[in-house]
Amino acid sequence: MEESSYSNLSTSHLLGSVPAVTNEEKKASYDVPEANMQIFPPNNGSGGGRGRGYQTLEAPTEEFEQQPPNNWSGVFSISSYTQYFNVDTDVVIYRLISSFYPVTGDFFSKIDANPDLYGLIWITTTLVFLLASFGNWATYLMQKHSDGTTSWSFDVGYINAAAVGIYGYAVVVPMSFKFLLQYLGSNASLVRFWCMWGYSFSIFIPTALLLLIPVEILRWIIILIAGSASSCFVALNLKSYIEGANDLKMMVVAAFLLQMALAIFIKVWFFP
């Protein structure tokens, strides 16, 4: 009797009791709304009905810089020349040494894979500085050699003359030959012309130092030798570049004479 009464007692309120297992479970399902990121504040736009209200944030698109086309519009674009400054120092030194051997005439084959404009900028800038400074120094030495009592003053005009003469020649002359050769039906590369003419100035850098010697006849001998070497370098390489076109031989002669005129200009103007 007592055992049956104990078994009939309710045990659901006791601690540790296990609730009855239900066969059916209620599962709550939620619909997650699709996220739509928007730019705040809204871009109302100033022109027309374009861009009104909130704008949906889109995935960024990748843009690759394309090389400018090989036409005349690319000639006057600065970005088209950045690749020509990516050159090692060893390559520049090798081309500098090659410019002191004018009789080979194979300079274009050495720069065909990677012509550079670094040599043009560096050589011309160095030459401008040396001509302006050494030209004044040579004037001082000659004046002291002839008359030590006369006062001397630095001529700033040498800087302007050197910059206009060297930079102008280095840019205009290769461009002129490029236009003329293309007009006459010959294929010509402006960058390769700039590169070749730029390295042709390298021989004038040590020449400017030698022209400090206060002996006039020796100065003329030095500048004529340097001018002949630079002129042969330009003429022979230009001849190999347009080889096969007999009607363009006058271009080679013109390049030789222009380079000699540059050498005489350096002597007469900066080392009188």
Side-chain angles (χ1 to χ4, degrees):
M1 277 300 284
E2 294 181 357
E3 293 180 357
S4 61
S5 61
Y6 290 138
S7 62
N8 293 329
L9 294 176
S10 175
T11 60
S12 59
H13 65 283
L14 297 179
L15 182 64
S17 61
V18 180
V21 178
T22 59
N23 294 329
E24 296 180 359
E25 294 182 353
K26 294 182 179 180
K27 298 181 180 180
S29 60
Y30 298 94
D31 294 332
V32 180
E34 183 179 358
N36 188 15
M37 298 182 66
Q38 295 176 334
I39 298 176
F40 183 85
N43 183 12
N44 294 327
S46 58
R50 180 175 173 267
R52 294 182 178 179
Y54 291 92
Q55 295 180 348
T56 303
L57 188 64
E58 299 177 354
T61 57
E62 296 183 0
E63 295 182 0
F64 298 94
E65 183 180 357
Q66 298 180 354
Q67 293 291 338
N70 188 18
N71 51 25
W72 289 115
S73 61
V75 172
F76 302 100
S77 176
I78 298 177
S79 60
S80 61
Y81 299 107
T82 54
Q83 57 180 322
Y84 300 114
F85 291 90
N86 186 19
V87 61
D88 296 333
T89 305
D90 296 336
V91 176
V92 175
I93 294 175
Y94 173 72
R95 293 174 179 180
L96 279 172
I97 296 174
S98 300
S99 65
F100 284 88
Y101 295 92
V103 296
T104 56
D106 59 346
F107 189 78
F108 281 112
S109 62
K110 296 177 181 178
I111 66 172
D112 187 61
N114 183 27
D116 71 279
L117 297 179
Y118 178 82
L120 171 67
I121 301 299
W122 180 80
I123 293 171
T124 53
T125 303
T126 303
L127 186 58
V128 166
F129 173 77
L130 291 180
L131 290 179
S133 57
F134 287 174
N136 277 279
W137 194 1
T139 305
Y140 171 78
L141 293 176
M142 291 295 290
Q143 187 171 340
K144 290 298 180 181
H145 181 73
S146 60
D147 186 6
T149 60
T150 306
S151 61
W152 174 85
S153 60
F154 184 86
D155 190 357
V156 185
Y158 277 19
I159 300 176
N160 297 329
V164 173
I166 300 302
Y167 287 139
Y169 186 97
V171 174
V172 174
V173 171
M175 286 187 66
S176 301
F177 276 84
K178 157 70 178 179
F179 283 118
L180 287 174
L181 288 175
Q182 189 170 12
Y183 177 77
L184 296 174
S186 178
N187 187 19
S189 171
L190 179 59
V191 174
R192 286 172 173 80
F193 279 8
W194 272 335
C195 181
M196 187 268 291
W197 255 283
Y199 281 99
S200 70
F201 298 150
S202 60
I203 196 171
F204 294 119
I205 293 178
T207 301
L209 179 61
L210 295 176
L211 290 176
L212 289 175
I213 301 174
V215 180
E216 186 66 13
I217 186 64
L218 187 57
R219 284 180 173 181
W220 276 108
I221 294 174
I222 292 172
I223 196 62
L224 290 177
I225 293 175
S228 300
S230 180
S231 300
C232 289
F233 175 80
V234 171
L236 292 177
N237 282 286
L238 187 63
K239 179 183 178 181
S240 64
Y241 188 83
I242 60 175
E243 189 174 5
N246 295 325
D247 54 339
L248 299 178
K249 298 301 181 181
M250 290 301 298
M251 302 287 290
V252 177
V253 177
F256 182 91
L257 295 177
L258 283 173
Q259 204 74 4
M260 283 299 300
L262 175 65
I264 296 174
F265 164 76
I266 291 174
K267 168 63 183 71
V268 172
W269 192 274
F270 299 99
F271 304 93

